[in-house]
Amino acid sequence: MRSAADPVDVTAAVEVLRAGGLVAFPTETVYGLGADASNAAAVTRIFEVKGRPLGHPLIVHLSSADQLDEWAGAIPRDARRLAEACWPGPLTLLLPRSTRVPDVVTGGRSTVGLRVPAHPVALALLRAFGGGVAAPSANRFGRVSPTTVAHVRDDLGDDVDYVLDGGPCTVGVESTIVDLSGGEPEVLRAGGVSDDVLASVLGRPVPHWGGGGAARAPGMLAAHYAPRARVLVLEDPEAVDAATRSALAAGSVVGLLAPVVTDGLSLEVIELEPAGGPEDYARVLYDRLRQADRLGIEVLVVVPPPAEGVGVAVRDRLRRAATDA
Ligand code: TXA
Ligand code: MG
């Protein structure tokens, strides 16, 4: 939904970026909080506004794969194949960084995350700006990613210099991150590009990194995906029934998020609007988690989508949301 207060004025947004300001912009995954990636002071402000620790690296957004060689070096063939097949799209490639990438973007790491987003407003901004735009998700540190302009404004208020409204995000969960910085490619974060797509492009399955998030992709903390409610992820209808009953008996405000309407639910349970199959689920997930907070839900029982396509990423986020950080 667009309004006079949120004009899609790419020229004005580019001026803000050139002046070292911050622009919130839509992508197909989630809204980003962008700054000129070549301007270390501007990038530093992103961390201040988000309240994000300085060691957590940012993704640099580009308008086309033609810019790969400006921002990365030693680019393996697999990276070029993935870029060609999946960009613009919800895929971030981790590559050895080039000398033009400021330390503050990568938290001093030798790699840089690069992505060409598939959103007309983001692409218009990136093309008109010409350079790279460093951007994390446009939420305060510790909140779920924003998928509408209303989420961005709720979180960041006046701390962002310009907001481009591109409507609700169509994918709804963050990009898939594939590490191509050495050895065999590995998925560090499940996201909008499915395992099947990665495997078909590279001709072999791409393993998911099995370790905890912290060392390889700093910033992937459980708390990033957690609403204030305690989240219980349950698949079996009997387990859902037992969990809602015991939470109600303990006096909690109980909510339920499920793919479809659940029969036989206690009237006291607040049933959030059903989330649908994997793609619909991904699109509405973060809005439903924010809704749970707004409704004061204390225990949120969640029935996940099947682990198909983007359902893998949804299940990953729900698992993190359910972890006590
Ligand atoms: O879909 C997305 O990827 C969205 C949109 C705005 O593009 N961006 C996003 O950014 O989710 P952020 O900052 O919320 O998450 C990016 C993650 C970080 O948690 C960090 O761990 C990882 O990417 N990352 C980025 N650059 C990295 C690097 N050089 N080395 C390791 N991890 C990196
Ligand atoms: Mg984030």
Side-chain angles (χ1 to χ4, degrees):
M1 199 80 91
R2 290 187 181 134
S3 69
D6 298 307
V8 182
D9 187 342
V10 166
T11 312
V14 166
E15 278 167 24
V16 171
L17 289 176
R18 294 228 162 96
L22 303 186
V23 173
F25 64 98
T27 81
E28 77 281 36
T29 59
V30 302
Y31 274 74
L33 178 63
D36 176 355
S38 301
N39 179 337
V43 174
T44 302
R45 244 194 92 211
I46 292 178
F47 290 88
E48 289 164 7
V49 164
K50 274 198 67 139
R52 172 164 162 143
L54 269 167
H56 293 183
L58 306 180
I59 295 168
V60 177
H61 297 72
L62 307 174
S63 64
S64 126
D66 296 343
Q67 292 171 300
L68 254 179
D69 295 270
E70 287 173 44
W71 294 87
I75 301 167
R77 282 210 46 187
D78 284 343
R80 295 205 191 268
R81 280 201 195 107
L82 287 170
E84 193 177 325
C86 300
W87 283 355
L91 178 69
T92 295
L93 304 179
L94 277 196
L95 291 163
R97 71 178 189 174
S98 76
T99 49
R100 76 175 286 174
V101 184
D103 269 341
V104 65
V105 170
T106 70
R109 290 172 170 248
S110 59
T111 55
V112 64
L114 299 173
R115 148 168 143 81
V116 178
H119 192 291
V121 175
L123 287 172
L125 175 73
L126 291 162
R127 282 190 195 118
F129 179 61
V133 172
S137 49
N139 51 290
R140 291 271 187 224
F141 186 65
R143 298 214 61 189
V144 298
S145 294
T147 52
T148 66
V149 157
H151 298 164
V152 174
R153 292 206 184 280
D154 281 349
D155 271 14
L156 301 179
D158 292 335
D159 287 348
V160 48
D161 301 309
Y162 202 84
V163 180
L164 282 171
D165 189 346
C169 301
T170 52
V171 174
V173 292
E174 300 84 347
S175 60
T176 302
I177 301 180
V178 178
D179 187 354
L180 291 133
S181 63
E184 273 295 293
E186 256 184 323
V187 175
L188 298 193
R189 177 173 78 181
V193 170
S194 69
D195 290 339
D196 287 349
V197 168
L198 296 177
S200 79
V201 174
L202 295 186
R204 62 191 191 282
V206 182
H208 285 235
W209 184 58
R216 290 284 291 280
M220 293 195 51
L221 306 174
H224 285 232
Y225 305 100
R228 279 188 276 279
R230 194 154 75 85
V231 175
L232 303 172
V233 182
L234 300 166
E235 311 223 18
D236 169 46
E238 278 168 30
V240 168
D241 191 52
T244 52
R245 275 172 204 283
S246 83
L248 286 171
S252 299
V253 179
V254 180
L256 176 75
L257 175 61
V260 292
V261 174
T262 302
D263 295 329
L265 206 59
S266 161
L267 282 177
E268 292 160 86
V269 175
I270 303 169
E271 183 160 21
L272 300 179
E273 201 184 316
E279 288 183 9
D280 290 333
Y281 209 122
R283 197 158 33 234
V284 301
L285 174 67
Y286 292 145
D287 186 65
R288 298 289 190 277
L289 295 181
R290 283 172 183 260
Q291 202 183 343
D293 279 349
R294 273 200 309 279
L295 295 171
I297 289 170
E298 293 164 313
V299 175
L300 181 64
V301 176
V302 181
V303 181
E308 290 156 15
V310 75
V312 172
V314 172
R315 294 168 71 96
D316 165 80
R317 304 305 186 271
L318 288 172
R319 196 165 52 241
R320 291 170 197 275
T323 307
D324 288 321

